[in-house]
Amino acid sequence: MFATDSLRASATGMEIVDRARRRQGWTKTCTATWWQTAHTSRATLRRFWLGKPIQRDNFIAICAAVGIGNWLEIADTKLVPESEPTVLEDWGEAPELDSFYGRTAELNQLVEWILQDRCKVIALLGLGGIGKTTLAVMLADQIQEQFEVLIWRSLKVAQSIESLLGSLLSVLSSSQVAVSPGEIDRGISQLIEYLRQRRCLIVLDEAEVIFASDKSKSRPGVGRCREGYEGYGELWRRVSSDRHQSCIVLTSREKPQEIALLQGENLPVRSLQLRGLPPQEAIEIFRAKGYSDSEPGLTELIALYGGNPLALKVITTMIQEVFDGNVVEFLSQSTLVLGDRLRTLLQQQVNRLSELEKELLYWLTIEREPVSLSRLQANLHVPPAASSIVEALASLERRSLLEKVTPADRVLYALQPLVMKYVTEELIEQVLDEIDAVLETQNIEHFQVFRNHSLVKPNAPSNPDDRSAYQVLARLVQSLQREFRSESNLESHLLQIHGLLRKRSPLAVGYAGRNLREIFQALAIYSNPSDWQDISIR
């Protein structure tokens, strides 16, 4: 019946293979394990999904790789002339995926927005390591057949808008195109014209690199294109508002300002904020590492890391290496390990914050539980206008660093565990640096974090055994003991700081007096109540 050396899948066969690859957690064409197991190529696998004839041996091997032994039920019995693929594909720097876990609801939502609602621009947003790029690959892989052109470009090298436009236009025109700095508007217009003529799907990955840092600014401006990259803002505006039949998907840790202004539930511009994987989906990561569903401690470990896929992969490897795979033993250490890669991603995001944003991040870390806007405002040593705090909180949310909790019609703000862990480390390092600078210069003006933040949760009961309220203080005391080594040496330096704070104004001292007194108590350094009478205690 199948005398030909080439075979293609029937419509029913495609459905069977599609269900089989989903059970494996594989994408259609971006999971390297698939074509490698079948001893074929990615291009051949793509032809299979396009319904094109491929060599008989490759067809059988592709089916076998996903556990289908009876390839006869997959093959189309009708012989048709071979034709060339109709989709123009340029995957650029898109990563190859080993596996894909969960995200079914998010994937279905994106497919609906693109294919049914015909959205023009979609932003995939989330914390580093949360799986934005992976989901974008899966999305493009699944719906590529609905488009005439698929182009993937990574912006992580911060390529100029001229370079990006030239690259896109070169693919769409099948000829080399260069766009000069004075031709950006014309280049965007040419791109829009191609997007009108052909249905294109363009993915722009890691767009956060083109946004300006607010580190030196008091007012946040998240998602604002940095100097020299303003053309990207015009690109978002034009693609969002001009008439065409295509879609641009971008991934970013920050929401572009233009998208924040143009998006809406019934508008062609949308954004999707990715959260951590729920336990029933995150468990697949552990299965791939050889764990069973009944392994003790997995649910607690997933919750500890907020379901962050990258963090779970990193810590699972570490548990296998250090604790011989024993999750419960790791959890007994009562610690949270970031790993170098995740720490770097978080550092990049935090380093972009304005001073007010970072101050709020520190306070959310000190509080360690969801708090209200009024509580945050009361905590600030010199609070700005309420409108500035609201803007800063909105900015932190757009940067994927903040989460809102809404119990009983209230709005509270909190941090994910991974963000809180990193910010705690940075807060401690900053305070240590400030203490060193004050001791070296004998000038308390170097106190910034130490003056503007309480190391003990405000209004906490006087009970150092309350680990949540006193956690930051405990970490700082441990760091001080390591740095100064001997108790006498540490005590003498702290007494110097005590003397520098005496008879200074409450504004100059801020929380520093209270913090120092808490450190004295934690180290059991003897002092009389009278020793603190001329030091402002907030």
Side-chain angles (χ1 to χ4, degrees), residues 370 403-414:
E403 291 187 342
K404 286 190 293 189
V405 185
T406 55
D409 297 327
R410 300 177 63 205
V411 178
L412 304 178
Y413 303 93

Side-chain angles (χ1 to χ4, degrees), residues 227-276:
E227 186 176 355
Y229 291 81
E230 295 87 354
Y232 277 96
E234 181 63 19
L235 175 63
W236 309 143
R237 286 188 289 270
R238 290 283 304 277
V239 175
S240 299
S241 59
D242 287 13
R243 181 179 57 82
H244 61 83
Q245 60 173 329
S246 300
C247 179
I248 289 184
V249 176
L250 62 95
T251 74
S252 176
R253 289 176 242 164
E254 300 180 13
K255 183 185 292 186
Q257 286 186 343
E258 294 77 13
I259 290 179
L261 292 172
L262 295 169
Q263 72 176 42
E265 290 184 8
N266 299 313
L267 298 176
V269 180
R270 314 270 173 89
S271 66
L272 181 64
Q273 186 77 37
L274 291 190
R275 306 298 181 187

Side-chain angles (χ1 to χ4, degrees), residues 71-88:
W71 57 269
L72 289 171
E73 66 175 346
I74 308 301
D76 191 350
T77 58
K78 299 176 182 178
L79 299 180
V80 295
E82 184 175 340
S83 59
E84 290 300 315
T86 57
V87 180
L88 172 61

Side-chain angles (χ1 to χ4, degrees), residues 304-482:
L304 180 64
Y305 283 86
N308 185 293
L310 174 60
L312 291 175
K313 291 176 182 177
V314 169
I315 196 58
T316 303
T317 300
M318 185 175 296
I319 290 172
Q320 290 177 326
E321 292 175 346
V322 179
F323 297 92
D324 199 25
N326 191 319
V327 175
V328 173
E329 186 176 351
F330 169 75
L331 291 173
S332 70
Q333 305 302 311
S334 300
T335 188
L336 192 152
V337 179
L338 291 178
D340 292 340
R341 184 179 174 191
L342 196 56
R343 183 177 282 103
T344 298
L345 292 174
L346 291 168
Q347 182 183 45
Q348 291 170 351
Q349 286 186 263
V350 172
N351 283 350
R352 298 170 63 83
L353 301 181
S354 68
E355 291 303 319
L356 178 56
E357 288 172 327
K358 188 172 287 190
E359 192 169 356
L360 292 173
L361 212 59
Y362 285 157
W363 271 116
L364 288 165
T365 298
I366 293 163
E367 289 282 359
R368 309 200 79 77
E369 62 183 8
V371 294
S372 64
L373 170 61
S374 59
R375 175 64 177 262
L376 287 171
Q377 189 172 21
N379 286 345
L380 294 173
H381 176 42
V382 184
S387 59
S388 296
I389 300 175
V390 171
E391 288 178 4
L393 290 171
S395 179
L396 288 171
E397 186 177 16
R398 289 182 187 174
R399 295 183 193 275
S400 307
L401 292 170
L402 186 71
E403 291 187 342
K404 286 190 293 189
V405 185
T406 55
D409 297 327
R410 300 177 63 205
V411 178
L412 304 178
Y413 303 93
L415 300 180
Q416 296 180 30
L418 293 173
V419 177
M420 189 178 296
K421 168 70 173 180
Y422 174 77
V423 175
T424 300
E425 292 179 357
E426 183 177 274
L427 191 158
I428 298 300
E429 287 298 320
Q430 184 66 32
V431 170
L432 289 173
D433 289 344
E434 291 176 7
I435 289 174
D436 288 342
V438 168
L439 290 171
E440 181 178 348
T441 63
Q442 297 292 294
N443 188 342
I444 66 168
E445 290 183 2
H446 291 286
F447 280 146
Q448 297 294 324
V449 175
F450 196 67
R451 179 181 65 224
N452 293 328
H453 302 83
S454 170
L455 299 179
V456 174
K457 182 177 176 178
N459 303 319
S462 181
N463 177 18
D465 293 331
D466 183 350
R467 297 187 60 185
S468 176
Y470 286 79
Q471 188 165 341
V472 175
L473 175 68
R475 287 284 309 279
L476 175 64
V477 169
Q478 291 172 359
S479 298
L480 286 170
Q481 289 172 325
R482 284 195 300 269

Side-chain angles (χ1 to χ4, degrees), residues 491 495 520-521 523-529 531-532:
E491 182 175 341
L495 287 171
F520 270 49
Q521 292 175 354
L523 291 170
I525 297 175
Y526 176 76
S527 62
N528 288 317
D531 294 335
W532 301 92

